[in-house]
Amino acid sequence: MSGTIVLGIGNRLGGDDAAGTCVVDMLNPALRALSSGRHRDKALFPTEIMAIDAGTVPESFTSVIRQHRPDLLILVDAADMGLPPGSLRIIAPEKISVLSFSTHHMPLSMFISYIKEFCGKILCVGVQPEQTETGRRISKGVGKSVKRLAESILEGRVAEIPLLE
């Protein structure tokens, strides 16, 4: 096992439901710059990171996860946690089935149970949406949180996000 895979989950046409995919959008240009040798500092970025936009079908990427067998798999998705918009929380696997996540073809809890044997550790990061109306853009507050989350991932600080109680 090696490295980290970030799987951004969400619907780009559903307002804040796009939070996970927006994290990937922010990570990929930074990762390209790092891998090209510019700004590459092994002390700051000791692990390789792959960021994937899974849209609403994270199960389509099980073969990539099986192939790479990451030390850490980070799932990022909008989740109604009953918190202020833009709040970030790590969600324990046993709480995933009781929360309202964005529309998926397969329940996220089932997806996690299928892929867990291929990963060292799995973190599910929920982003509290403000609105998920079709055709709306991501809200300002959620956009700021998404940026903060992308920075935390790049800096290896994602585990500092509070656990959902």
Side-chain angles (χ1 to χ4, degrees):
M1 291 192 190
S2 66
T4 297
I5 294 178
V6 178
L7 209 58
I9 304 167
N11 179 353
R12 289 186 180 275
L13 301 176
D16 293 338
D17 190 33
T21 58
C22 288
V23 167
V24 169
D25 289 347
M26 291 179 182
L27 286 173
N28 277 325
L31 294 172
R32 279 192 294 276
L34 290 170
S35 68
S36 72
R38 298 182 323 234
H39 310 89
R40 185 66 174 168
D41 183 344
K42 288 285 187 186
L44 289 175
F45 305 101
T47 186
E48 294 299 317
I49 301 171
M50 178 188 301
I52 300 170
D53 178 355
T56 60
V57 286
E59 62 271 18
S60 293
F61 297 91
T62 55
S63 63
V64 174
I65 294 165
R66 275 197 327 262
Q67 177 186 0
H68 290 278
R69 296 183 175 269
D71 293 317
L72 176 61
L73 175 65
I74 302 170
L75 305 173
V76 181
D77 196 5
D80 186 359
M81 303 173 286
L83 299 170
S87 296
L88 301 172
R89 293 292 184 274
I90 292 176
I91 303 169
E94 62 273 8
K95 290 200 175 193
I96 288 174
S97 61
V98 298
L99 293 175
S100 174
F101 281 89
S102 61
T103 310
H104 304 300
H105 292 85
M106 172 189 282
L108 206 48
S109 56
M110 185 182 296
F111 172 71
I112 290 170
S113 69
Y114 177 74
I115 54 148
K116 67 183 176 187
E117 70 181 276
F118 308 115
C119 307
K121 182 176 184 178
I122 299 173
L123 286 180
C124 185
V125 180
V127 182
Q128 176 67 51
E130 181 177 327
Q131 50 78 24
T132 56
E133 297 167 27
T134 302
R136 301 264 318 258
R137 292 180 182 237
I138 196 164
S139 66
K140 194 176 218 174
V142 171
K144 287 179 182 178
S145 294
V146 162
K147 183 178 184 203
R148 204 170 66 242
L149 176 55
E151 290 167 354
S152 294
I153 292 168
L154 284 171
E155 296 166 1
R157 298 182 300 106
V158 73
E160 296 173 11
I161 295 170
L163 184 65
L164 179 66
E165 298 298 324

